[in-house]
């Protein structure tokens, strides 16, 4: 493993397409939604044995498992798209590493999971960061790649932890036009769950769900209380009224987090990438991206990558009624203002 790069951002910004594009490069190990899948449970305090680290990777991710049990899958859940997979939502649950990471790397995620388990459980005790580096390096060797790029949606909050764990890592802040991105969030089940969860935390004046007491739960409206169970009615998420301004404010918060984080990085370790720039000139933007990662911008790769980008998704918020678009623009205003002051990307910090 020669370089390690994290693409952070709001999600709903062309980031899944970017992971697919990076996976097409013969030198890049594209880790799709790795941090979203393993989360903080794979970065505990202290040291871990190989078996302990493996449990953190193989245990179903709680919030994704709850969505699957409730019949509310996300389009990013790659494992469930193919029939005949070994793991099942209602019995074993789907290992965290299997849901989105391994199907992005292979057509046989169950086989790769078995092979990884046989290796990882024998690893010696080391720091969580040491285990993650070893896993990245092992996957590079196994799959013939040399440079690692991890990309998760809704990931700006992970950036400080990743910077502390991997001080050598490079970071790309990917963002999209605020109203377009926020409108996409408003139609996505995962972001609707995020906004409803944030509403629960706000009402109860806590910062994490594990801080909720029985008294907190009893004081919540029934529709929000139901979301805390093992299963919930998907309609509670899909039909619950959430103001568009809420999604605009979420976009702003995430863009501000990403921009401020990037500004604190040493020169050469951070870069920005605007989705609209990628649509306008994919060859130039992906060339910059490749050079920042440290791989060659191969001509055949650049030629194939453009087919995965969809310019028609730009300007989607323009089709909204004027009042709804104004609501989105207002919610996005703080983030939009900060991006305008930062100037156009992509560039290195």
């Amino acid at each position: 493993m020669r370089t390690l790069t994290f693409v952070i951002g709001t999600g709903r910004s062309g980031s899944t397409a970017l992971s697919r594009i990076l996976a097409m490069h013969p030198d890049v190990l594209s880790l799709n939604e790795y941090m979203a899948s393993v989360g903080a449970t794979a970065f505990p305090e202290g040291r871990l044995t190989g078996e302990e680290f493996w449990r953190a990777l193989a245990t179903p991710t709680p919030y994704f498992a709850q969505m699957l049990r409730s019949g509310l899958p996300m389009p990013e859940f790659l494992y469930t798209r193919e029939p005949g997979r070994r793991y099942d939502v209602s019995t074993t649950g789907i290992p965290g590493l299997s849901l989105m990471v391994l199907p992005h790397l292979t057509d046989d995620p169950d086989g790769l999971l078995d092979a990884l388990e046989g290796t990882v459980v024998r690893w010696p005790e080391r720091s969580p960061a040491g285990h993650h580096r070893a896993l990245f390096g092992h996957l590079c060797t196994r799959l013939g790649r040399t440079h690692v790029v991890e990309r998760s949606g809704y990931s700006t909050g992970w950036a400080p932890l990743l910077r502390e764990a991997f001080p050598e890592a490079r970071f790309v802040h990917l963002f999209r036009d605020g109203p377009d991105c926020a409108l996409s969030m408003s139609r996505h089940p995962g972001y609707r769950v995020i906004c409803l969860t944030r509403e629960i935390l706000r009402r109860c004046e806590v910062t994490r769900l594990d801080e909720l007491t029985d008294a907190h739960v009893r004081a919540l409206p029934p529709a929000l209380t139901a979301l805390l169970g093992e299963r919930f009615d998907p309609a509670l998420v899909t039909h619950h009224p959430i103001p568009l301004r809420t999604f605009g404010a979420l976009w702003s918060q995430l863009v501000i987090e990403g921009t401020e984080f990037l500004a604190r990085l040493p020169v050469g370790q951070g870069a920005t990438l605007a989705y609209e720039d990628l649509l306008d000139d994919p060859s130039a933007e992906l060339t910059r991206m490749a050079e920042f990662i440290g791989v060659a911008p191969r001509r055949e790769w650049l030629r194939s990558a453009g087919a995965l980008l969809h310019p028609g998704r730009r300007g989607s918020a323009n089709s909204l009624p004027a009042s709804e678009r104004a609501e989105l623009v207002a919610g996005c205003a703080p983030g939009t203002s900060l991006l305008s002051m930062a100037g156009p990307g992509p560039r290195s910090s």
Side-chain angles (χ1 to χ4, degrees):
M1 182 176 71
R2 296 177 188 168
T3 64
L4 172 61
T5 303
F6 293 96
V7 179
I8 61 170
T10 63
R12 312 311 298 162
S13 55
S15 52
T16 299
L18 182 61
S19 279
R20 293 173 61 199
I21 287 169
L22 291 169
M24 295 166 60
H25 195 291
D27 298 327
V28 174
L29 178 72
S30 176
L31 294 177
N32 174 61
E33 304 283 7
Y34 180 82
M35 280 304 301
S37 299
V38 305
T41 59
F43 287 87
E45 295 290 334
R47 296 168 69 82
L48 296 172
T49 65
E51 289 187 358
E52 289 169 334
F53 180 62
W54 181 252
R55 282 199 297 272
L57 299 179
T59 300
T61 309
Y63 39 92
F64 294 150
Q66 183 201 35
M67 291 180 70
L68 285 165
R69 286 193 302 269
S70 302
L72 190 71
M74 298 199 306
E76 291 83 357
F77 292 169
L78 300 178
Y79 187 88
T80 56
R81 293 184 184 180
E82 297 292 331
R85 298 294 193 209
R86 178 189 309 165
Y87 298 98
D88 182 77
V89 173
S90 60
T91 54
T92 59
I94 299 172
L97 206 60
S98 296
L99 190 58
M100 296 181 284
V101 181
L102 298 187
H104 185 71
L105 299 175
T106 175
D107 292 332
D108 182 19
D110 291 337
L112 182 52
L113 187 76
D114 289 344
L116 290 175
E117 180 180 14
T119 298
V120 174
V121 296
R122 297 197 301 268
W123 283 351
E125 183 179 273
R126 50 164 71 106
S127 69
H131 276 299
H132 288 288
R133 280 196 188 90
L135 178 65
F136 300 162
H138 178 77
L139 284 169
C140 277
T141 299
R142 184 180 182 89
L143 300 175
R145 307 300 173 108
T146 54
H147 296 66
V148 179
V149 182
E150 192 281 337
R151 192 283 316 167
S152 292
Y154 191 63
S155 54
T156 58
W158 295 114
L161 179 152
L162 295 171
R163 170 71 177 148
E164 182 178 357
F166 309 105
E168 78 284 6
R170 306 172 186 187
F171 291 85
V172 176
H173 180 208
L174 173 65
F175 52 84
R176 178 185 180 187
D177 172 78
D180 285 353
C181 189
L183 178 61
S184 182
M185 288 176 176
S186 75
R187 297 168 174 172
H188 187 277
Y191 284 87
R192 294 185 68 81
V193 170
I194 286 168
C195 286
L196 292 172
T197 301
R198 286 161 60 97
E199 175 66 10
I200 290 171
L201 298 177
R202 185 191 67 78
R203 285 173 177 263
C204 297
E205 298 182 338
V206 297
T207 58
R208 300 192 317 270
L209 289 178
D210 61 9
E211 295 174 341
L212 293 174
T213 65
D214 290 341
H216 285 139
V217 175
R218 286 195 299 270
L220 289 170
L224 293 180
T225 302
L227 295 176
L228 300 173
E230 283 290 305
R231 287 180 170 84
F232 54 79
D233 182 351
L236 292 175
V237 173
T238 57
H239 295 349
H240 191 94
I242 306 175
L244 284 175
R245 180 187 282 264
T246 299
F247 295 97
L250 176 61
W251 176 85
S252 278
Q253 176 187 330
L254 299 176
V255 161
I256 291 169
E257 285 178 356
T259 302
E260 292 180 345
F261 171 78
L262 214 68
R264 297 191 294 268
L265 292 177
V267 173
Q269 282 190 253
T272 58
L273 178 61
Y275 177 58
E276 288 73 24
D277 290 343
L278 188 59
L279 294 180
D280 287 341
D281 195 346
S283 181
E285 302 307 289
L286 291 173
T287 294
R288 290 192 183 102
M289 179 82 172
E291 291 173 346
F292 179 74
I293 294 168
V295 297
R298 300 171 182 247
R299 288 184 181 179
E300 61 274 19
W301 173 67
L302 294 174
R303 191 163 49 246
S304 301
L308 297 181
L309 297 170
H310 303 287
R313 294 178 180 174
R314 183 190 351 228
S316 56
N318 293 334
S319 62
L320 291 172
S323 60
E324 293 182 11
R325 175 166 169 74
E327 185 181 352
L328 266 183
V329 169
C332 293
T336 301
S337 176
L338 184 60
L339 287 178
S340 66
M341 288 189 294
R347 63 197 180 286
S348 296
S349 63

